Amino acid sequence: MSTDDKNRAVAAAILPLVGGAGNVTSVAHCMTRLRLGLRDRSLVRDEELRALPAVMGVVEDDTYQIVLGPGTVARVTPEFETLVAEAPTAGSPADPAPSADDLAAQGAAIRAARKARNQTPFKLFLRRIANVFVPLIPALIGCGIIAGLNGLLVNLGWLPAVTPALAAMASGFMALIAVFVGFNTAKEFGGTPILGGAVAAIIVFPGVARIDAFGQTLSPGQGGVLGALGAAVLAVYVEKWCRRWVPESLDVLVTPTLTVLVSGLVTIFGLMFVAGEVSTAIGDFADWLLAHAGAGAGLVLGGLFLPLVMLGLHQALIPIHTTLIEQQGYTVLLPILAMAGAGQVGAAMAVYLKLPRNGSIRRTIKSALPAGFLGVGEPLIYGVSLPLGRPFVTACVGGAFGGGFVGLFSMLGDKVGSTAIGPSGWALFPLLDGNHGLGRTIAIYAGGLLVGYLAGFTATYFWGFSDRLLEEFDVETETVVAASTAPSKPSGPDPEPAKV
């Protein structure tokens, strides 16, 4: 089977299990997840969906999220969209469903619970901010790896004729990242994307160096991605005001002109300076925190990152990461936060040993561990540690110890950073950078992973299970299933044993 056929087969297997094309209202994807908007959540067959070989797990948020893993999700999503578009639009989903009253009651209850849990104004705002930066991650990863390769070649003195070209490839996107942020921001907040990009482009235009704003000489790039974000949001509001009040006959001329003029002036004479001060403060605070309280900060950040992910608050870190990369060339926070995944891997290995008779959980762990080592933690979180309860807490303990290890070296003067956001675990090695050579940086990060594995394993093995939990889960699942589904024994002679 070709790769295209395989991806289409995965999409075709998923579609009926989410209620069919008629139940799908929107389709999108991030780095690892297929994100679906659904009309009726009760039509989804969760267990059958989780049983698909390509599905690593499912997550419920404002959308129904199916974890397929990096790379796979980007190939399956277009096939899924094609299948949805090709399906007949008339009628309801083909799958059998309960009565209309039952579905209405279940749907109302689910929507009310999800709305109360997830749709707070703050979380919705963070989600919109994340939607601005997530599409930039592939470019950050690609340029970050090229930057790391270029640095290695420069340090070794190899290919001197090629390294300037590699430097241009690695730096070109970062030089214009404000424009892409402005474009995405306007798109996300309901404006015209190109106008958001046009206003944000002012920030990186070299000519701003000739502008004196209230006694301060501006510099190209001042304010960075935060300034671009603010400028584009302002442009959206100016544009919407113009659409409301400018006559239709003049709209095509007046609206874009006023949008760029008003928001551009505010950006030059206000936002660039303010956002520049905020960006500088973020960088200075990160440096101070890790230099003076690195071990403690790493302990807290590594231990609390997974709960932040569960609450959706981790999205607030994305613009901070991007600001640090723009300022310093790498973010010192990501390697510390990546230790949370190491704690999950260690905890999963302990669960595997503590439940020798539970074949179902052990198979889940064996299939999910490779992805866990590469930093894709959802299958282990949602398939193993979180449902068990206490192992999720002990996994966070492992992340705390790993983060404390990396933070300790920051206190000692050895910074460990990442030139991009998105990857984690072993997948972060090609993106590592620091202030004392690549070899030393890699060794510290690898040591942090090892500490996270060991601490997560130890905490889970010795304190991750109560007697009741062991009694409940350390059972032969195949035997239990067979016993529960076997028919009652008929009278008469015993049947021959089944051949297997």
Side-chain angles (χ1 to χ4, degrees), residues 180-219:
F180 296 101
V181 169
F183 184 95
N184 287 348
T185 301
K187 181 179 179 181
E188 176 64 27
F189 283 84
T192 302
I194 197 64
L195 292 179
V199 174
I202 298 169
I203 292 173
V204 295
F205 177 58
V208 297
R210 299 192 296 269
I211 299 175
D212 184 74
F214 305 110
Q216 297 283 338
T217 301
L218 300 177
S219 58

Side-chain angles (χ1 to χ4, degrees), residues 1-348:
M1 182 184 292
S2 68
T3 301
D4 290 342
D5 290 341
K6 180 181 177 182
N7 294 327
R8 190 172 182 87
V10 172
I14 291 173
L15 184 56
L17 300 182
V18 295
N23 197 37
V24 177
T25 59
S26 65
V27 181
H29 75 89
C30 61
M31 288 291 293
T32 60
R33 305 177 188 180
L34 173 64
R35 298 170 178 257
L36 304 179
L38 302 176
R39 287 191 175 89
D40 193 333
R41 169 65 181 83
S42 66
L43 296 180
V44 178
R45 305 205 291 269
D46 295 284
E47 294 306 318
E48 295 177 53
L49 196 58
R50 289 188 176 94
L52 293 178
V55 174
M56 299 178 177
V58 296
V59 181
E60 283 199 60
D61 203 339
D62 60 320
T63 56
Y64 190 79
Q65 302 170 15
I66 303 171
V67 184
L68 298 175
T72 301
V73 70
R75 293 167 174 81
V76 171
T77 300
E79 301 291 348
F80 189 89
E81 290 175 319
T82 301
L83 291 176
V84 172
E86 291 173 349
T89 56
S92 58
D95 300 302
S99 69
D101 291 340
D102 291 340
L103 292 181
Q106 293 177 27
I110 291 169
R111 283 191 292 271
R114 287 171 58 191
K115 184 176 182 181
R117 185 175 69 251
N118 290 319
Q119 294 189 3
T120 63
F122 182 61
K123 286 186 180 180
L124 289 174
F125 173 75
L126 291 181
R127 193 169 292 122
R128 299 186 81 173
I129 297 299
N131 290 341
V132 171
F133 290 92
V134 166
L136 307 179
I137 289 177
L140 286 169
I141 293 173
C143 295
I145 291 176
I146 293 173
L149 175 62
N150 183 62
L152 180 63
L153 292 176
V154 169
N155 291 335
L156 295 174
W158 294 354
L159 303 177
V162 176
T163 51
L166 292 177
M169 297 176 199
S171 304
F173 173 73
M174 290 306 302
L176 297 174
I177 190 173
V179 179
F180 296 101
V181 169
F183 184 95
N184 287 348
T185 301
K187 181 179 179 181
E188 176 64 27
F189 283 84
T192 302
I194 197 64
L195 292 179
V199 174
I202 298 169
I203 292 173
V204 295
F205 177 58
V208 297
R210 299 192 296 269
I211 299 175
D212 184 74
F214 305 110
Q216 297 283 338
T217 301
L218 300 177
S219 58
Q222 184 174 341
V225 295
L226 298 183
L229 184 68
V233 170
L234 176 62
V236 169
Y237 281 100
V238 173
E239 180 187 359
K240 288 181 177 180
W241 183 90
C242 291
R243 302 286 184 202
R244 189 179 303 116
W245 296 104
V246 173
E248 290 185 9
S249 58
L250 300 176
D251 181 73
V252 69
L253 296 175
V254 175
T255 297
T257 303
L258 284 180
T259 299
V260 175
L261 179 64
V262 174
S263 53
L265 288 173
V266 174
T267 298
I268 291 172
F269 293 101
L271 278 177
M272 286 185 68
F273 174 77
V274 174
E277 293 297 306
V278 173
S279 299
T280 301
I282 289 174
D284 291 344
F285 178 73
D287 290 339
W288 178 90
L289 183 66
L290 293 179
H292 294 84
L299 196 78
V300 173
L301 290 173
L304 293 183
F305 183 63
L306 287 179
L308 288 178
V309 173
M310 299 296 101
L311 296 172
L313 299 178
H314 66 296
Q315 295 165 338
L317 297 171
I318 296 177
I320 296 176
H321 287 312
T322 309
T323 298
L324 291 174
I325 292 171
E326 190 179 37
Q327 281 187 342
Q328 304 177 0
Y330 51 79
T331 168
V332 292
L333 298 180
L334 186 58
I336 291 176
L337 299 176
M339 296 301 121
Q344 281 292 329
V345 169

Side-chain angles (χ1 to χ4, degrees), residues 445-464:
Y445 180 72
L449 289 178
L450 184 60
V451 169
Y453 297 151
L454 292 175
F457 178 90
T458 303
T460 304
Y461 191 86
F462 290 104
W463 299 287

Side-chain angles (χ1 to χ4, degrees), residues 407-433:
L408 175 62
F409 277 89
S410 291
M411 287 182 65
L412 300 176
D414 289 301
K415 290 184 179 180
V416 178
S418 170
T419 57
I421 58 177
S424 184
W426 293 1
L428 198 61
F429 278 111
L431 297 169
L432 291 177
D433 198 1

